[in-house]
Amino acid sequence: MSLLDFDFNITIVGLGLIGGSYAMALKNLRPKNIWAVDIDQEAIDTAQQLGIIDKGYIDPKIPLKNSDIIILCVYPNKMIQFIKENKNYFKKGAILTDTAGIKEKVIKEIEAVLPEDIDFIGGHPMAGREYKGIGFASEDIFKGASYILTPTQRNKAENIVCIEELIKKIGCKNIMKITPKKHDEIVSYTSQLPHIIATSLVNGAKKEDTINFIGGSFKDATRVAHMNTSLWTELLIENKNHILDKIIVFEKEIKKIKEALIEKNQNSLEGLFESAKQKREELI
C-alpha cells in the first residue's frame, strides 16, 4: 500500500485528544474517506460538525470492512478488546496501528488473534496535552514531534514504510523503530516516571503553606500531575515491572542528594547539580 496518491479509506477508533488530533491532521491530506468509531455519540457529532471526519459510527462493522488503515486511539486494554471483538470485520490486507503508551502486552495479545492477512504495527506519538477529549484536539500536536514505531517480524516491510510516510505527512520529524520491550523500558523513565514524581510533589504539598508561594519551578515540575487519571493508572499498572525498576533508579539518585545535604558536602552537591545541568543541555 502506497501513500503516494492518498486514495484510501482511514478509520480512527476513539475520538479523544489524540484521535481527534489525528483526524484534523489527516483531513488536510484529503484521503478518500476519514471515518471514526466511538462509543460517545457527542464526540462523533462534534467531529462531524468540525468537518474533520466524513462520518462517524457507534457500530464499527461498516467502516472496518472498507478501511485500508485503522488507527486505534483508545486505552490499551480497550484496544485489545476492540480488536478481539472485531477481528473478522477488518478488510483483507488492512494495516492497523495504535497510539498506546505501552507496547509489549498490546502487541503480544493482538498478534495472537489477528488474521494473517491483517498487519498490526505498534505506534506511539510522543505528543499530547494534560487534558483529554476532542475539545482539546489540535492538528499541531504532531508538528515536530517524535514518533516511536515497534514493528515485529510479522509486519510486512511495505506496510511499515506506509505508516512511516503517514506519520511524516502529519508533521512528525523523528521516527524511531525499536522493539516493544525496549519501548516499554524507555518510556517508563522518560514519560511514566515524571508523572509519578509530579504526583508525589503535589500530594506532598500542604495547600495552606504553598498556594501563595508557587513559582515557575513548581509549576513546571508538576505540570503533568494534571493528567487523564484512568489512562495513566492503566499504563503504570500494565508496565509496572519497568516502572518499579526506574523508581529504584530515582530513589538512588535522590539519596545521593540527601546524603550530600546531611554531610554538608558542598562539592558533592554541586557536582550532582552540574552533572544534571550538562546532561539536560545534551538531552533537550
Side-chain angles (χ1 to χ4, degrees):
M1 189 184 298
S2 172
L3 294 187
L4 194 60
D5 54 8
F6 230 69
D7 186 28
F8 51 81
N9 298 320
I10 302 174
T11 288
I12 296 169
V13 180
L15 281 171
L17 171 68
I18 296 298
S21 297
Y22 240 119
M24 290 177 179
L26 290 171
K27 192 65 176 176
N28 291 333
L29 303 177
R30 298 184 179 179
K32 190 173 182 180
N33 286 289
I34 296 181
W35 300 314
V37 174
D38 203 290
I39 59 173
D40 183 359
Q41 185 63 51
E42 186 176 345
I44 291 172
D45 292 342
T46 297
Q48 290 180 161
Q49 289 165 7
L50 291 171
I52 60 175
I53 62 172
D54 295 297
K55 192 170 183 180
Y57 300 83
I58 297 289
D59 185 345
K61 298 182 184 64
I62 295 174
L64 293 186
K65 288 180 179 179
N66 297 289
S67 294
D68 304 298
I69 296 176
I70 297 99
I71 304 170
L72 296 123
C73 305
V74 293
Y75 296 6
N77 288 322
K78 287 183 179 179
M79 175 172 57
I80 293 168
Q81 181 184 355
F82 179 89
I83 289 176
K84 286 180 178 179
E85 292 175 351
N86 295 284
K87 62 183 180 180
N88 295 322
Y89 301 116
F90 296 120
K91 178 182 177 181
K92 184 176 181 179
I95 304 174
L96 279 62
T97 190
D98 75 317
T99 61
I102 58 168
K103 284 289 166 278
E104 194 169 18
K105 173 188 175 177
V106 165
I107 291 174
K108 182 179 179 180
E109 294 200 25
I110 289 175
E111 288 192 341
V113 300
L114 266 188
E116 285 296 319
D117 58 356
I118 307 298
D119 224 354
F120 178 86
I121 301 168
H124 183 191
M126 303 305 290
R129 293 176 173 174
E130 305 93 276
Y131 304 95
K132 64 179 181 179
I134 193 170
F136 295 97
S138 169
E139 63 185 85
D140 294 331
I141 276 181
F142 304 107
K143 297 290 176 64
S146 294
Y147 208 109
I148 303 173
L149 292 179
T150 57
T152 67
Q153 292 182 342
R154 188 183 188 277
N155 299 140
K156 295 178 181 178
E158 60 268 29
N159 290 343
I160 297 172
V161 170
C162 178
I163 295 300
E164 285 185 281
E165 290 179 7
L166 184 148
I167 291 166
K168 290 175 183 175
K169 286 180 181 294
I170 63 172
C172 294
K173 297 298 183 184
N174 187 23
I175 300 174
M176 297 157 287
K177 288 183 282 187
I178 56 177
T179 66
K181 182 177 182 179
K182 191 66 176 177
H183 166 276
D184 290 355
E185 180 184 351
I186 292 172
V187 300
S188 70
Y189 195 84
T190 62
S191 179
Q192 294 164 358
L193 182 62
H195 283 75
I196 293 171
I197 294 170
T199 297
S200 300
L201 278 171
V202 172
N203 285 340
K206 294 181 180 179
K207 183 177 180 181
E208 61 273 20
D209 292 339
T210 58
I211 193 167
N212 294 318
F213 301 91
I214 291 175
S217 60
F218 191 87
K219 290 178 181 179
D220 290 345
T222 60
R223 178 182 62 83
V224 294
H226 192 296
M227 68 182 89
N228 180 338
T229 55
S230 55
L231 171 61
W232 280 96
T233 298
E234 181 175 326
L235 292 175
L236 295 179
I237 288 175
E238 295 296 349
N239 202 25
K240 72 171 187 176
N241 291 335
H242 289 304
I243 288 291
L244 290 172
D245 287 343
K246 297 305 182 287
I247 289 176
I248 291 171
V249 171
F250 178 74
E251 288 173 337
K252 287 179 179 178
E253 290 300 318
I254 204 164
K255 185 180 179 182
K256 292 177 184 177
I257 295 174
K258 180 181 178 181
E259 290 175 348
L261 287 170
I262 291 171
E263 297 167 4
K264 295 183 179 180
N265 190 330
Q266 184 171 342
N267 290 335
S268 178
L269 191 60
E270 188 172 341
L272 290 168
F273 289 161
E274 189 62 34
S275 175
K277 176 183 174 182
Q278 292 178 4
K279 285 182 178 179
R280 191 181 189 283
E281 288 175 354
E282 294 170 2
L283 292 172
I284 307 299

Short mmCIF file of all heavy atoms in Angstrom, two decimals, residues 60-114:
data_model
loop_
_atom_site.label_atom_id
_atom_site.label_comp_id
_atom_site.label_asym_id
_atom_site.label_seq_id
_atom_site.Cartn_x
_atom_site.Cartn_y
_atom_site.Cartn_z
N PRO A 60 -18.86 -0.42 14.66
CA PRO A 60 -17.66 -0.34 13.82
C PRO A 60 -17.68 -1.19 12.57
O PRO A 60 -16.81 -1.02 11.70
CB PRO A 60 -16.56 -0.83 14.76
CG PRO A 60 -17.25 -1.80 15.66
CD PRO A 60 -18.63 -1.23 15.88
N LYS A 61 -18.65 -2.07 12.42
CA LYS A 61 -18.58 -3.06 11.34
C LYS A 61 -18.49 -2.43 9.95
O LYS A 61 -17.67 -2.84 9.12
CB LYS A 61 -19.79 -4.00 11.40
CG LYS A 61 -19.88 -4.83 12.67
CD LYS A 61 -21.09 -5.75 12.61
CE LYS A 61 -21.27 -6.53 13.91
NZ LYS A 61 -21.57 -5.67 15.06
N ILE A 62 -19.31 -1.42 9.69
CA ILE A 62 -19.37 -0.84 8.34
C ILE A 62 -18.04 -0.18 7.95
O ILE A 62 -17.48 -0.50 6.89
CB ILE A 62 -20.53 0.16 8.21
CG1 ILE A 62 -21.86 -0.57 8.35
CG2 ILE A 62 -20.46 0.91 6.88
CD1 ILE A 62 -23.07 0.36 8.38
N PRO A 63 -17.49 0.72 8.74
CA PRO A 63 -16.23 1.33 8.32
C PRO A 63 -15.05 0.35 8.29
O PRO A 63 -14.19 0.45 7.41
CB PRO A 63 -16.00 2.44 9.36
CG PRO A 63 -16.77 2.01 10.55
CD PRO A 63 -17.98 1.31 10.00
N LEU A 64 -15.01 -0.60 9.22
CA LEU A 64 -13.88 -1.52 9.27
C LEU A 64 -13.80 -2.37 8.00
O LEU A 64 -12.71 -2.66 7.51
CB LEU A 64 -13.97 -2.44 10.49
CG LEU A 64 -13.83 -1.77 11.86
CD1 LEU A 64 -13.80 -2.83 12.95
CD2 LEU A 64 -12.58 -0.91 11.94
N LYS A 65 -14.94 -2.77 7.46
CA LYS A 65 -14.96 -3.62 6.27
C LYS A 65 -14.40 -2.91 5.04
O LYS A 65 -14.03 -3.56 4.06
CB LYS A 65 -16.39 -4.07 5.98
CG LYS A 65 -16.92 -5.10 6.97
CD LYS A 65 -18.35 -5.50 6.63
CE LYS A 65 -18.89 -6.55 7.60
NZ LYS A 65 -20.29 -6.93 7.29
N ASN A 66 -14.35 -1.57 5.09
CA ASN A 66 -13.92 -0.80 3.92
C ASN A 66 -12.67 0.04 4.17
O ASN A 66 -12.29 0.85 3.32
CB ASN A 66 -15.06 0.11 3.48
CG ASN A 66 -16.29 -0.66 3.03
OD1 ASN A 66 -16.28 -1.28 1.98
ND2 ASN A 66 -17.33 -0.64 3.85
N SER A 67 -12.01 -0.16 5.30
CA SER A 67 -10.88 0.69 5.67
C SER A 67 -9.54 0.06 5.31
O SER A 67 -9.28 -1.10 5.64
CB SER A 67 -10.91 0.99 7.17
OG SER A 67 -12.04 1.77 7.49
N ASP A 68 -8.69 0.87 4.68
CA ASP A 68 -7.34 0.42 4.34
C ASP A 68 -6.40 0.56 5.53
O ASP A 68 -5.49 -0.24 5.72
CB ASP A 68 -6.80 1.25 3.17
CG ASP A 68 -7.70 1.19 1.96
OD1 ASP A 68 -7.90 0.09 1.43
OD2 ASP A 68 -8.24 2.24 1.56
N ILE A 69 -6.61 1.62 6.33
CA ILE A 69 -5.80 1.88 7.52
C ILE A 69 -6.73 2.16 8.69
O ILE A 69 -7.68 2.94 8.56
CB ILE A 69 -4.85 3.08 7.31
CG1 ILE A 69 -3.84 2.77 6.20
CG2 ILE A 69 -4.12 3.42 8.61
CD1 ILE A 69 -2.93 3.93 5.87
N ILE A 70 -6.47 1.52 9.82
CA ILE A 70 -7.23 1.76 11.05
C ILE A 70 -6.25 2.25 12.11
O ILE A 70 -5.24 1.59 12.38
CB ILE A 70 -7.96 0.50 11.54
CG1 ILE A 70 -9.00 0.05 10.51
CG2 ILE A 70 -8.66 0.78 12.87
CD1 ILE A 70 -8.54 -1.07 9.63
N ILE A 71 -6.53 3.41 12.68
CA ILE A 71 -5.68 4.00 13.73
C ILE A 71 -6.44 3.92 15.05
O ILE A 71 -7.48 4.56 15.21
CB ILE A 71 -5.31 5.45 13.40
CG1 ILE A 71 -4.64 5.52 12.03
CG2 ILE A 71 -4.39 6.02 14.48
CD1 ILE A 71 -4.45 6.94 11.51
N LEU A 72 -5.92 3.13 15.98
CA LEU A 72 -6.60 2.90 17.24
C LEU A 72 -6.07 3.86 18.31
O LEU A 72 -4.90 3.80 18.67
CB LEU A 72 -6.41 1.45 17.68
CG LEU A 72 -7.05 0.45 16.69
CD1 LEU A 72 -6.01 -0.52 16.18
CD2 LEU A 72 -8.22 -0.28 17.32
N CYS A 73 -6.95 4.73 18.78
CA CYS A 73 -6.57 5.78 19.74
C CYS A 73 -7.38 5.62 21.02
O CYS A 73 -8.03 6.57 21.49
CB CYS A 73 -6.80 7.16 19.13
SG CYS A 73 -5.95 7.42 17.56
N VAL A 74 -7.36 4.42 21.58
CA VAL A 74 -8.08 4.14 22.82
C VAL A 74 -7.12 3.51 23.82
O VAL A 74 -5.99 3.17 23.50
CB VAL A 74 -9.28 3.20 22.56
CG1 VAL A 74 -10.33 3.91 21.73
CG2 VAL A 74 -8.85 1.93 21.86
N TYR A 75 -7.58 3.35 25.06
CA TYR A 75 -6.75 2.77 26.12
C TYR A 75 -6.29 1.37 25.71
O TYR A 75 -6.99 0.66 24.98
CB TYR A 75 -7.53 2.68 27.42
CG TYR A 75 -7.95 3.99 28.04
CD1 TYR A 75 -7.77 5.20 27.39
CD2 TYR A 75 -8.55 4.01 29.29
CE1 TYR A 75 -8.16 6.39 27.98
CE2 TYR A 75 -8.96 5.20 29.88
CZ TYR A 75 -8.76 6.38 29.22
OH TYR A 75 -9.16 7.57 29.79
N PRO A 76 -5.12 0.96 26.17
CA PRO A 76 -4.56 -0.34 25.74
C PRO A 76 -5.50 -1.53 25.88
O PRO A 76 -5.70 -2.29 24.93
CB PRO A 76 -3.33 -0.49 26.64
CG PRO A 76 -2.92 0.91 26.93
CD PRO A 76 -4.19 1.69 27.05
N ASN A 77 -6.10 -1.72 27.06
CA ASN A 77 -6.96 -2.89 27.26
C ASN A 77 -8.24 -2.80 26.45
O ASN A 77 -8.75 -3.82 25.97
CB ASN A 77 -7.26 -3.07 28.75
CG ASN A 77 -6.04 -3.56 29.51
OD1 ASN A 77 -5.26 -4.38 29.01
ND2 ASN A 77 -5.86 -3.07 30.73
N LYS A 78 -8.76 -1.59 26.27
CA LYS A 78 -9.96 -1.42 25.43
C LYS A 78 -9.62 -1.71 23.97
O LYS A 78 -10.44 -2.23 23.22
CB LYS A 78 -10.50 0.00 25.57
CG LYS A 78 -11.20 0.26 26.90
CD LYS A 78 -11.78 1.67 26.95
CE LYS A 78 -12.49 1.90 28.28
NZ LYS A 78 -13.05 3.29 28.36
N MET A 79 -8.40 -1.36 23.56
CA MET A 79 -7.96 -1.63 22.20
C MET A 79 -7.87 -3.13 21.94
O MET A 79 -8.32 -3.63 20.91
CB MET A 79 -6.62 -0.96 21.93
CG MET A 79 -6.05 -1.29 20.57
SD MET A 79 -4.59 -0.31 20.18
CE MET A 79 -3.53 -0.73 21.54
N ILE A 80 -7.27 -3.84 22.87
CA ILE A 80 -7.16 -5.29 22.74
C ILE A 80 -8.55 -5.91 22.63
O ILE A 80 -8.81 -6.77 21.78
CB ILE A 80 -6.39 -5.88 23.93
CG1 ILE A 80 -4.93 -5.42 23.90
CG2 ILE A 80 -6.46 -7.41 23.92
CD1 ILE A 80 -4.15 -5.71 25.18
N GLN A 81 -9.45 -5.46 23.49
CA GLN A 81 -10.83 -5.97 23.48
C GLN A 81 -11.51 -5.64 22.15
O GLN A 81 -12.20 -6.49 21.57
CB GLN A 81 -11.62 -5.37 24.63
CG GLN A 81 -13.07 -5.85 24.71
CD GLN A 81 -13.84 -5.15 25.83
OE1 GLN A 81 -13.28 -4.39 26.61
NE2 GLN A 81 -15.13 -5.41 25.90
N PHE A 82 -11.31 -4.42 21.66
CA PHE A 82 -11.92 -3.99 20.39
C PHE A 82 -11.47 -4.89 19.24
O PHE A 82 -12.29 -5.32 18.42
CB PHE A 82 -11.56 -2.54 20.10
CG PHE A 82 -12.13 -2.00 18.81
CD1 PHE A 82 -13.38 -1.41 18.79
CD2 PHE A 82 -11.43 -2.10 17.62
CE1 PHE A 82 -13.92 -0.91 17.60
CE2 PHE A 82 -11.95 -1.61 16.44
CZ PHE A 82 -13.21 -1.02 16.42
N ILE A 83 -10.20 -5.17 19.18
CA ILE A 83 -9.67 -5.99 18.09
C ILE A 83 -10.17 -7.42 18.19
O ILE A 83 -10.53 -8.05 17.18
CB ILE A 83 -8.13 -5.93 18.06
CG1 ILE A 83 -7.69 -4.54 17.59
CG2 ILE A 83 -7.54 -7.02 17.16
CD1 ILE A 83 -6.21 -4.31 17.60
N LYS A 84 -10.22 -7.96 19.39
CA LYS A 84 -10.74 -9.32 19.56
C LYS A 84 -12.19 -9.42 19.12
O LYS A 84 -12.60 -10.40 18.50
CB LYS A 84 -10.59 -9.74 21.03
CG LYS A 84 -9.16 -10.06 21.44
CD LYS A 84 -9.09 -10.47 22.91
CE LYS A 84 -7.66 -10.84 23.30
NZ LYS A 84 -7.56 -11.22 24.73
N GLU A 85 -12.98 -8.39 19.44
CA GLU A 85 -14.41 -8.40 19.11
C GLU A 85 -14.68 -8.16 17.62
O GLU A 85 -15.71 -8.58 17.10
CB GLU A 85 -15.14 -7.36 19.93
CG GLU A 85 -15.20 -7.68 21.42
CD GLU A 85 -15.84 -6.57 22.23
OE1 GLU A 85 -16.07 -5.47 21.65
OE2 GLU A 85 -16.09 -6.77 23.43
N ASN A 86 -13.73 -7.49 16.94
CA ASN A 86 -13.98 -7.08 15.55
C ASN A 86 -12.99 -7.66 14.55
O ASN A 86 -12.95 -7.21 13.40
CB ASN A 86 -13.95 -5.55 15.46
CG ASN A 86 -15.07 -4.90 16.24
OD1 ASN A 86 -16.22 -4.87 15.81
ND2 ASN A 86 -14.74 -4.37 17.42
N LYS A 87 -12.21 -8.63 14.95
CA LYS A 87 -11.15 -9.16 14.09
C LYS A 87 -11.66 -9.72 12.76
O LYS A 87 -10.92 -9.72 11.77
CB LYS A 87 -10.37 -10.25 14.83
CG LYS A 87 -11.20 -11.46 15.22
CD LYS A 87 -10.36 -12.46 16.01
CE LYS A 87 -11.20 -13.68 16.41
NZ LYS A 87 -10.39 -14.65 17.17
N ASN A 88 -12.91 -10.14 12.73
CA ASN A 88 -13.45 -10.72 11.49
C ASN A 88 -14.04 -9.68 10.55
O ASN A 88 -14.51 -10.02 9.45
CB ASN A 88 -14.52 -11.77 11.82
CG ASN A 88 -13.94 -12.96 12.57
OD1 ASN A 88 -12.83 -13.39 12.29
ND2 ASN A 88 -14.69 -13.48 13.53
N TYR A 89 -14.02 -8.40 10.96
CA TYR A 89 -14.61 -7.35 10.13
C TYR A 89 -13.57 -6.52 9.38
O TYR A 89 -13.94 -5.71 8.53
CB TYR A 89 -15.47 -6.42 10.99
CG TYR A 89 -16.59 -7.13 11.70
CD1 TYR A 89 -16.63 -7.20 13.08
CD2 TYR A 89 -17.60 -7.77 10.98
CE1 TYR A 89 -17.65 -7.86 13.74
CE2 TYR A 89 -18.63 -8.44 11.63
CZ TYR A 89 -18.64 -8.49 13.01
OH TYR A 89 -19.65 -9.15 13.66
N PHE A 90 -12.28 -6.72 9.68
CA PHE A 90 -11.25 -5.94 9.01
C PHE A 90 -11.14 -6.33 7.54
O PHE A 90 -11.22 -7.51 7.18
CB PHE A 90 -9.90 -6.12 9.68
CG PHE A 90 -9.84 -5.61 11.09
CD1 PHE A 90 -9.55 -6.46 12.15
CD2 PHE A 90 -10.09 -4.28 11.37
CE1 PHE A 90 -9.51 -6.00 13.45
CE2 PHE A 90 -10.05 -3.81 12.67
CZ PHE A 90 -9.76 -4.67 13.72
N LYS A 91 -10.94 -5.33 6.71
CA LYS A 91 -10.73 -5.56 5.28
C LYS A 91 -9.45 -6.35 5.05
O LYS A 91 -8.43 -6.11 5.72
CB LYS A 91 -10.64 -4.19 4.57
CG LYS A 91 -10.39 -4.26 3.08
CD LYS A 91 -10.29 -2.83 2.52
CE LYS A 91 -9.96 -2.86 1.04
NZ LYS A 91 -9.85 -1.48 0.49
N LYS A 92 -9.46 -7.27 4.13
CA LYS A 92 -8.28 -8.06 3.83
C LYS A 92 -7.13 -7.14 3.40
O LYS A 92 -7.30 -6.26 2.56
CB LYS A 92 -8.57 -9.05 2.70
CG LYS A 92 -7.41 -9.99 2.39
CD LYS A 92 -7.80 -11.01 1.33
CE LYS A 92 -6.62 -11.94 1.07
NZ LYS A 92 -6.96 -12.97 0.04
N GLY A 93 -5.97 -7.33 4.03
CA GLY A 93 -4.81 -6.51 3.71
C GLY A 93 -4.74 -5.20 4.47
O GLY A 93 -3.82 -4.40 4.24
N ALA A 94 -5.68 -4.96 5.37
CA ALA A 94 -5.69 -3.70 6.12
C ALA A 94 -4.48 -3.59 7.03
O ALA A 94 -3.93 -4.58 7.52
CB ALA A 94 -6.97 -3.60 6.93
N ILE A 95 -4.08 -2.33 7.27
CA ILE A 95 -2.99 -2.03 8.21
C ILE A 95 -3.61 -1.40 9.46
O ILE A 95 -4.35 -0.42 9.36
CB ILE A 95 -1.97 -1.06 7.61
CG1 ILE A 95 -1.40 -1.60 6.31
CG2 ILE A 95 -0.84 -0.79 8.61
CD1 ILE A 95 -0.50 -0.60 5.59
N LEU A 96 -3.28 -1.95 10.60
CA LEU A 96 -3.71 -1.38 11.87
C LEU A 96 -2.49 -0.79 12.57
O LEU A 96 -1.39 -1.34 12.52
CB LEU A 96 -4.32 -2.46 12.78
CG LEU A 96 -5.77 -2.87 12.57
CD1 LEU A 96 -5.99 -3.48 11.19
CD2 LEU A 96 -6.21 -3.86 13.66
N THR A 97 -2.70 0.34 13.22
CA THR A 97 -1.66 0.90 14.07
C THR A 97 -2.35 1.55 15.27
O THR A 97 -3.57 1.71 15.29
CB THR A 97 -0.77 1.91 13.32
OG1 THR A 97 0.36 2.26 14.14
CG2 THR A 97 -1.53 3.18 12.96
N ASP A 98 -1.56 1.90 16.29
CA ASP A 98 -2.15 2.43 17.51
C ASP A 98 -1.33 3.60 18.02
O ASP A 98 -0.34 4.00 17.41
CB ASP A 98 -2.27 1.33 18.56
CG ASP A 98 -0.92 1.00 19.20
OD1 ASP A 98 0.08 0.90 18.46
OD2 ASP A 98 -0.85 0.85 20.43
N THR A 99 -1.76 4.13 19.17
CA THR A 99 -1.06 5.27 19.77
C THR A 99 -0.81 5.03 21.27
O THR A 99 -0.53 5.97 22.00
CB THR A 99 -1.88 6.56 19.61
OG1 THR A 99 -3.15 6.40 20.27
CG2 THR A 99 -2.12 6.87 18.14
N ALA A 100 -0.92 3.78 21.71
CA ALA A 100 -0.87 3.48 23.15
C ALA A 100 0.52 3.65 23.73
O ALA A 100 1.53 3.47 23.05
CB ALA A 100 -1.37 2.06 23.39
N GLY A 101 0.56 3.94 25.04
CA GLY A 101 1.82 4.19 25.73
C GLY A 101 2.51 2.95 26.26
O GLY A 101 3.56 3.05 26.89
N ILE A 102 1.94 1.77 26.04
CA ILE A 102 2.64 0.51 26.32
C ILE A 102 2.54 -0.36 25.07
O ILE A 102 1.61 -0.23 24.29
CB ILE A 102 2.05 -0.24 27.53
CG1 ILE A 102 0.56 -0.53 27.33
CG2 ILE A 102 2.29 0.54 28.81
CD1 ILE A 102 0.00 -1.50 28.35
N LYS A 103 3.52 -1.24 24.90
CA LYS A 103 3.57 -1.97 23.65
C LYS A 103 3.68 -3.49 23.78
O LYS A 103 3.06 -4.22 23.01
CB LYS A 103 4.76 -1.46 22.81
CG LYS A 103 4.48 -0.11 22.17
CD LYS A 103 3.46 -0.28 21.06
CE LYS A 103 2.87 1.02 20.58
NZ LYS A 103 1.78 1.50 21.41
N GLU A 104 4.48 -3.99 24.70
CA GLU A 104 4.78 -5.42 24.71
C GLU A 104 3.51 -6.27 24.90
O GLU A 104 3.24 -7.18 24.12
CB GLU A 104 5.80 -5.75 25.81
CG GLU A 104 6.41 -7.14 25.66
CD GLU A 104 7.60 -7.35 26.56
OE1 GLU A 104 7.78 -6.60 27.54
OE2 GLU A 104 8.36 -8.28 26.29
N LYS A 105 2.72 -5.95 25.91
CA LYS A 105 1.48 -6.69 26.15
C LYS A 105 0.51 -6.51 24.99
O LYS A 105 -0.10 -7.48 24.52
CB LYS A 105 0.83 -6.22 27.45
CG LYS A 105 -0.55 -6.83 27.67
CD LYS A 105 -1.27 -6.23 28.84
CE LYS A 105 -2.69 -6.79 28.92
NZ LYS A 105 -3.44 -6.29 30.08
N VAL A 106 0.35 -5.28 24.54
CA VAL A 106 -0.60 -4.97 23.47
C VAL A 106 -0.29 -5.79 22.21
O VAL A 106 -1.17 -6.45 21.66
CB VAL A 106 -0.55 -3.46 23.14
CG1 VAL A 106 -1.24 -3.17 21.82
CG2 VAL A 106 -1.21 -2.66 24.26
N ILE A 107 0.94 -5.75 21.77
CA ILE A 107 1.31 -6.43 20.53
C ILE A 107 1.21 -7.94 20.67
O ILE A 107 0.71 -8.64 19.77
CB ILE A 107 2.71 -6.00 20.08
CG1 ILE A 107 2.67 -4.53 19.63
CG2 ILE A 107 3.24 -6.89 18.97
CD1 ILE A 107 4.00 -3.93 19.31
N LYS A 108 1.63 -8.46 21.79
CA LYS A 108 1.57 -9.91 22.02
C LYS A 108 0.13 -10.41 21.94
O LYS A 108 -0.15 -11.42 21.27
CB LYS A 108 2.17 -10.24 23.38
CG LYS A 108 2.18 -11.74 23.70
CD LYS A 108 2.82 -11.98 25.06
CE LYS A 108 2.83 -13.48 25.38
NZ LYS A 108 3.44 -13.75 26.71
N GLU A 109 -0.78 -9.73 22.61
CA GLU A 109 -2.17 -10.18 22.63
C GLU A 109 -2.89 -9.96 21.30
O GLU A 109 -3.71 -10.78 20.89
CB GLU A 109 -2.93 -9.49 23.77
CG GLU A 109 -2.43 -9.89 25.15
CD GLU A 109 -3.45 -9.62 26.24
OE1 GLU A 109 -4.66 -9.57 25.94
OE2 GLU A 109 -3.02 -9.44 27.39
N ILE A 110 -2.55 -8.87 20.62
CA ILE A 110 -3.20 -8.59 19.33
C ILE A 110 -2.71 -9.54 18.25
O ILE A 110 -3.50 -10.10 17.47
CB ILE A 110 -2.98 -7.12 18.92
CG1 ILE A 110 -3.81 -6.21 19.84
CG2 ILE A 110 -3.35 -6.89 17.46
CD1 ILE A 110 -3.57 -4.73 19.61
N GLU A 111 -1.41 -9.76 18.17
CA GLU A 111 -0.88 -10.65 17.15
C GLU A 111 -1.37 -12.09 17.34
O GLU A 111 -1.44 -12.85 16.37
CB GLU A 111 0.65 -10.62 17.14
CG GLU A 111 1.21 -9.33 16.58
CD GLU A 111 2.71 -9.40 16.31
OE1 GLU A 111 3.39 -10.29 16.88
OE2 GLU A 111 3.20 -8.56 15.52
N ALA A 112 -1.73 -12.44 18.55
CA ALA A 112 -2.21 -13.81 18.82
C ALA A 112 -3.59 -14.06 18.23
O ALA A 112 -3.96 -15.22 18.01
CB ALA A 112 -2.23 -14.05 20.33
N VAL A 113 -4.36 -12.99 17.97
CA VAL A 113 -5.73 -13.18 17.49
C VAL A 113 -5.98 -12.64 16.09
O VAL A 113 -6.98 -13.00 15.46
CB VAL A 113 -6.74 -12.53 18.47
CG1 VAL A 113 -6.63 -13.15 19.85
CG2 VAL A 113 -6.56 -11.02 18.55
N LEU A 114 -5.07 -11.82 15.56
CA LEU A 114 -5.31 -11.22 14.25
C LEU A 114 -5.18 -12.24 13.12
O LEU A 114 -4.28 -13.08 13.14
CB LEU A 114 -4.31 -10.10 13.99
CG LEU A 114 -4.68 -8.67 14.35
CD1 LEU A 114 -3.61 -7.72 13.84
CD2 LEU A 114 -6.04 -8.27 13.81
#
